[in-house]
Every structure is written in C-alpha cells, then in structure tokens.
Amino acid sequence: PLYLLTGEYDFSCTPEDTQRTAAAIGGASVTIMEQLGHFPMSENPEQFRRYISPVLGEILKQSTQTRQGVHV
C-alpha cells in the first residue's frame, strides 16, 4: 500500500498535487492533514501524530497478518 499525507498548506506539494498523483497510482491512499504544511513533524508534532499513528497502525496490522499467513 501507498499512503500519501500532505499538509493542507504545503506549497511545495499541494493537496491538489497529491490527489493527482494518487489518481495515477492504483490503491494509493490520500490524507490531507489540517493545520500542517510541508514539515508537519517539525511544525506541530502532536497534530502530525494524529495523522501518522493510524497509518503506522495499519502498516503494522498488515505486516503482522502477512507474517501469520493471512492475506489481506
């Protein structure tokens, strides 16, 4: 899976850029992060954590299922 997270005021890679990229990649997931820009982990770590934690949890879940022989 591919997870694309973009800050709502990221002018280097705008939300529209991210949506367009995701549309060209089958299965890509897009999250536009509110109140964040291009360096979310530095700008507002707590806000960024709200977005990255579920993604990391999903990756861990899929990884665990793969190791256990469960195909997602």
Side-chain angles (χ1 to χ4, degrees):
L2 177 63
Y3 301 90
L4 302 172
L5 290 85
T6 298
E8 70 178 343
Y9 61 85
D10 185 340
F11 303 112
S12 178
C13 179
T14 66
E16 294 79 18
D17 293 335
T18 301
Q19 295 285 359
R20 191 171 42 255
T21 299
I25 302 170
S29 169
V30 174
T31 301
I32 305 304
M33 301 180 291
E34 295 179 6
Q35 302 174 11
L36 294 169
H38 190 71
F39 296 103
M41 66 292 291
S42 299
E43 295 167 11
N44 188 334
E46 290 302 316
Q47 181 74 347
F48 178 62
R49 185 174 298 146
R50 291 182 186 108
Y51 289 101
I52 196 65
S53 290
V55 171
L56 295 175
E58 183 63 28
I59 292 168
L60 179 61
K61 176 182 165 188
Q62 290 179 10
S63 174
T64 300
Q65 289 174 342
T66 300
R67 283 192 305 253
Q68 294 174 348
V70 177
H71 298 288
V72 181

